[in-house]
Amino acid sequence: MSPDASSATLSILFETAHVPYDHTPGVNQFQKLRAALVTFARRTGFQERVLQYHSLIERIVSSNPAQAIELQQLGPFEAIPSKQSLPRIVQLCHKLATHGNGAVLVYKGFQGAGWVAAYAGFILGLSVCAVDQSGAQIPISDCYSEAKVILEIAAIENRCELHVEGTLSDFILTASLDDASRRSWNINCAELNFLGHNLPELTDPDQLGTVSRLAAVKTLDEVVERASSIFRVEPIPGFQPYFVSVVPYIQKRALDILSFLGFDPKVRSNYRFNSSFICEDNLERTDDRQLPPHIQGRANKVMERAILFASQLAFTNWNTSVQTMSARHFHGRAYDGESLQWTRTAFDLDYGIFQGLGRALVACIDSVDAITLRQKLYTSDLLGLSLDGVVLLRTFLTRHSISRIRGEIFTFLPGQISFEGQPRDIIRMDFEGDVRCKPIINFPGNSVQPIDIASALRSRFLFSSTGDTLWVRHEILKGSELFTVANPVDISVAIGKMLVAQPCKHAYDTAFTPEIVHQSEMLMKFSSGFELYKKRGEWEQEIAWEEEGIHGSAEGFRNFYYQLVDKNDMGQWLACQWGRERMVSNSVLILQDNTCLECVMQRIIDWIVDGIIAGRRESTHASKEIWRVCIIAGSKDDRE
């Protein structure tokens, strides 16, 4: 490092340490200090270690032909971080070495990685592990799970962050906040009756029953409408969209919310439903004309607000957590939910979820500003928000299960987000998509059954913070190695597009004999194991290979992949990370549920064949498309 760069680095270190200016050396003094230390530093062998580690990292990166060409134009000085980033690296390494119990330093990027490895490992004695572009781990001084310094050498942008290992409960203070610090005027619906407050003249038990049943029936049907519209999934005979399959649980929560609001809706079993969970009870028996004329209009407005509130918050745990309502909404003033206008883009796939949630939050928490809320919710990697004494989290971050959440998309917790004693406003995902896992291969022999081959996986959370944001890196480990970095946002999107198999008459665990078959001029390949997803380049290569393998087939290629994660909550949850890149029109994600694999396969094949026939009839090219179907092993027993 040049004298000027050394002086600048030392100056920044003094400045960031808040040393008073009258105690900070000048430029000439810094240069004299460097001259005095440089001879000693050279005797330590540090510069040789930097070059040694840089050469090792260069060889790892060069295994990628595209990056090898770029590296030919670079020299050994790429081993040294920029003078702007070096002070922060030194500070974080010092903090890690002195107070770093439970902390991990993650350095991203090629430039400077050799210097960081040498300084952290050789000078400070910290364990170091590198991760290449394929996700493979190269222990420099220790395995991945034990390393205190992780080098993600394939990352495009250079960054250095100190992550603290822990759980979400470590960073969400659930203790009651001082009332003086709150801005909201929120009403506890368990303490004050919403219906009684807004319709005090409704004292007759028969009239209360009429209003309650009318509100309940409309709320039950509104839940079905919302569940069906979260994501539009192309229907396949014998399957249901995931959110439709869990509608009974969502409807039960909606009725619980109505009870908190002062209605008497009874339990869900008191109502009759068709196969789509639409309530078939005759509304004529609960016609509002049975109410006195002077309260009919007001009763309808009160019910309308209650139905909107209950049907939206039924997709959260509101009924078992916060149980509050904005004073404005409680008292009857129209809230600002309708001003939440959303612009749908290709990257905002959970648009349907956020639109309803935003309106519900405005009605739930008095201090929430609609415009500010829209800006925060629009963040594509959003995992949680802190809203005036209430924390809202994606449930898929807190619970690793696709069956036990039962349509509960978001979770409320009383409290606030905090990191190192300072409040934070938002939780976002620390995930760049550059870490991939190697598939766990299955060798089924002549038949395959729903088993679990991913039981060795475990998770850990790493937290860091910048500004008002708490970053969460959700790692999945297999033994001492990194398996992948989980992406709860991708999982949320995938589950919204998932289909659930409806029961068949066979035993769920009936063995299935997979083979490459040519049925109705359709080439089909079946494989099983546990696989997530590949990089886009690998994905395109796979498509090209499969197109070549068709050898002129007029009907395209069908690839069925069976995820062997039976009765494994985390495995099923992670299998949904089969990938947003695969969640295109020609891909299908299916939860096997209480259905044999052969029936699942036959239903899909029949559907594809019907499409081929229709494509021929219409003289389209749809029948030549390449299809991928991911089937996740899992039965209804997993929900118990």
Side-chain angles (χ1 to χ4, degrees):
M1 185 180 291
S2 67
D4 291 341
S6 297
S7 298
T9 300
L10 289 171
S11 177
I12 294 173
L13 284 172
F14 272 80
E15 181 180 345
T16 53
H18 303 293
V19 177
Y21 286 113
D22 54 349
H23 290 83
T24 300
V27 174
N28 291 334
Q29 291 171 304
F30 277 132
Q31 291 180 348
K32 291 179 181 179
L33 177 62
R34 176 188 180 277
L37 295 176
V38 70
T39 303
F40 171 76
R42 286 173 178 166
R43 291 176 182 174
T44 65
F46 178 68
Q47 61 184 358
E48 288 76 17
R49 287 300 180 103
V50 171
L51 185 60
Q52 178 185 4
Y53 285 131
H54 176 70
S55 298
L56 170 64
I57 294 169
E58 192 175 43
R59 287 196 299 273
I60 296 170
V61 176
S62 296
S63 62
N64 184 341
Q67 290 185 294
I69 297 175
E70 296 179 10
L71 291 178
Q72 293 176 358
Q73 304 173 6
L74 304 175
F77 286 96
E78 285 296 308
I80 303 172
S82 66
K83 64 180 181 181
Q84 292 82 7
S85 63
L86 193 56
R88 175 174 172 80
I89 295 171
V90 172
Q91 279 187 312
L92 293 181
C93 286
H94 177 265
K95 185 175 181 179
L96 179 65
T98 54
H99 307 288
N101 291 335
V104 176
L105 182 77
V106 178
Y107 182 81
K108 299 184 178 184
F110 173 75
Q111 181 186 0
W115 190 95
V116 173
Y119 182 69
F122 181 62
I123 300 297
L124 301 179
L126 299 171
S127 52
V128 183
C129 182
V131 180
D132 69 9
Q133 64 271 12
S134 68
Q137 291 110 61
I138 300 92
I140 292 179
S141 58
D142 211 335
C143 63
Y144 185 92
S145 62
E146 300 297 326
K148 303 296 290 183
V149 177
I150 297 171
L151 307 175
E152 292 190 355
I153 54 181
I156 298 175
E157 181 184 357
N158 276 97
R159 281 173 51 195
C160 184
E161 298 291 344
L162 189 63
H163 297 252
V164 179
E165 185 174 352
T167 63
L168 282 170
S169 59
D170 296 330
F171 301 95
I172 297 177
L173 304 180
T174 56
S176 298
L177 297 180
D178 182 5
D179 288 339
S181 66
R182 297 195 182 196
R183 304 181 303 275
S184 297
W185 186 5
N186 299 327
I187 305 301
N188 186 339
C189 293
E191 298 291 333
L192 185 59
N193 186 313
F194 168 83
L195 182 61
H197 176 81
N198 287 277
L199 211 60
E201 57 269 48
L202 190 69
T203 56
D204 183 86
D206 292 337
Q207 294 175 1
L208 175 60
T210 297
V211 170
S212 297
R213 193 165 187 83
L214 181 59
V217 171
K218 290 184 176 181
T219 300
L220 292 170
D221 290 348
E222 184 67 22
V223 164
V224 177
E225 177 62 28
R226 293 187 184 281
S228 302
S229 64
I230 288 179
F231 290 103
R232 298 294 183 183
V233 181
E234 184 174 355
I236 302 178
F239 300 94
Q240 280 184 324
Y242 169 79
F243 279 105
V244 174
S245 74
V246 294
V247 156
Y249 301 106
I250 304 172
Q251 288 176 327
K252 181 181 180 299
R253 287 195 296 271
L255 294 180
D256 287 346
I257 294 173
L258 287 180
S259 297
F260 274 105
L261 301 185
F263 294 86
D264 184 22
K266 308 300 181 185
V267 296
R268 186 179 180 276
S269 59
N270 282 26
Y271 301 88
R272 296 179 294 108
F273 301 89
N274 63 19
S275 59
S276 300
F277 306 117
I278 296 294
C279 188
E280 292 184 327
D281 284 49
N282 189 349
L283 285 179
E284 291 181 1
R285 293 187 295 148
T286 55
D287 196 314
D288 61 2
R289 286 174 294 183
Q290 299 179 31
L291 299 174
H294 67 282
I295 67 169
Q296 284 182 12
R298 290 182 54 213
N300 282 328
K301 291 181 179 180
V302 171
M303 283 190 290
E304 182 181 350
R305 283 160 42 214
I307 292 166
L308 180 69
F309 188 84
S311 62
Q312 290 173 335
L313 288 167
F315 291 85
T316 74
N317 69 333
W318 183 95
N319 59 316
T320 59
S321 56
V322 291
Q323 299 168 3
T324 62
M325 184 185 289
S326 159
R328 289 177 295 174
H329 191 66
F330 193 98
H331 191 59
R333 180 179 174 182
Y335 67 95
D336 197 24
E338 295 303 325
S339 68
L340 287 169
Q341 301 298 324
W342 305 87
T343 302
R344 188 170 191 171
T345 71
F347 303 100
D348 186 24
L349 296 181
D350 4 31
Y351 147 90
I353 296 177
F354 285 155
Q355 178 157 338
L357 177 69
R359 292 171 178 167
L361 287 175
V362 174
C364 186
I365 302 172
D366 183 74
S367 64
V368 173
D369 172 75
I371 297 177
T372 303
L373 179 64
R374 179 180 58 204
Q375 294 171 346
K376 290 185 176 181
L377 288 178
Y378 196 74
T379 303
S380 60
D381 55 5
L382 173 73
L383 295 177
L385 290 173
S386 187
L387 300 166
D388 199 20
V390 174
V391 176
L392 180 77
L393 299 172
R394 283 185 188 266
T395 304
F396 292 117
L397 175 67
T398 62
R399 276 185 265 172
H400 301 157
S401 174
I402 60 175
S403 55
R404 299 179 193 277
I405 67 161
R406 296 170 176 174
E408 193 177 291
I409 307 172
F410 289 92
T411 297
F412 284 105
L413 290 175
Q416 65 181 11
I417 303 168
S418 176
F419 186 82
E420 296 183 340
Q422 298 298 317
R424 300 292 186 265
D425 293 338
I426 189 170
I427 303 177
R428 295 176 64 182
M429 180 176 57
D430 187 357
F431 178 83
E432 293 189 351
D434 55 359
V435 178
R436 297 291 186 265
C437 68
K438 295 180 180 178
I440 302 175
I441 305 299
N442 178 52
F443 301 97
N446 294 325
S447 65
V448 63
Q449 288 179 285
I451 59 175
D452 176 30
I453 64 173
S455 58
L457 300 179
R458 60 188 177 90
S459 69
R460 76 169 177 177
F461 290 99
L462 297 178
F463 299 85
S464 62
S465 180
T466 55
D468 64 350
T469 301
L470 177 66
W471 296 93
V472 179
R473 177 184 171 95
H474 192 180
E475 295 185 339
I476 306 297
L477 304 176
K478 182 185 177 187
S480 62
E481 295 185 346
L482 173 68
F483 185 68
T484 190
V485 177
N487 188 330
V489 174
D490 272 4
I491 293 172
S492 298
V493 172
I495 289 177
K497 294 178 176 291
M498 177 188 288
L499 294 170
V500 179
Q502 294 178 303
C504 68
K505 61 182 180 181
H506 310 113
Y508 159 73
D509 56 355
T510 301
F512 174 72
T513 303
E515 59 183 357
I516 297 179
V517 298
H518 193 269
Q519 179 175 343
S520 300
E521 301 180 58
M522 177 181 68
L523 184 65
M524 182 185 81
K525 184 177 75 172
F526 180 96
S527 54
S528 62
F530 185 62
E531 179 189 75
L532 298 191
Y533 61 109
K534 300 177 173 64
K535 288 186 175 181
R536 183 172 296 277
E538 296 170 345
W539 176 241
E540 292 169 351
Q541 290 175 7
E542 182 179 310
I543 290 176
W545 177 84
E546 290 173 353
E547 287 176 336
E548 182 179 347
I550 292 172
H551 298 300
S553 167
E555 307 303 352
F557 188 87
R558 273 78 193 181
N559 187 344
F560 293 83
Y561 195 86
Y562 189 37
Q563 303 276 18
L564 294 175
V565 286
D566 184 48
K567 295 181 176 62
N568 181 340
D569 275 347
M570 177 179 287
Q572 293 172 1
W573 172 82
L574 196 59
C576 295
Q577 196 166 311
W578 193 59
R580 180 179 292 182
E581 292 178 3
R582 288 185 174 178
M583 287 291 99
V584 294
S585 59
N586 297 0
S587 296
V588 181
L589 184 65
I590 290 174
L591 179 64
Q592 183 180 354
D593 213 21
N594 198 22
T595 313
C596 75
L597 182 57
E598 183 172 352
C599 285
V600 171
M601 293 285 295
Q602 192 60 55
R603 291 172 188 177
I604 301 170
I605 291 171
D606 290 345
W607 175 66
I608 293 176
V609 170
D610 290 343
I612 291 173
I613 295 172
R616 289 175 181 162
R617 186 183 304 121
E618 297 173 9
S619 300
T620 68
H621 298 284
S623 62
K624 298 183 181 180
E625 294 173 333
I626 297 175
W627 279 85
R628 286 167 181 79
V629 179
C630 178
I631 305 169
I632 300 175
S635 70
K636 284 188 175 178
D637 294 339
D638 299 342
R639 301 184 184 182
E640 296 177 356

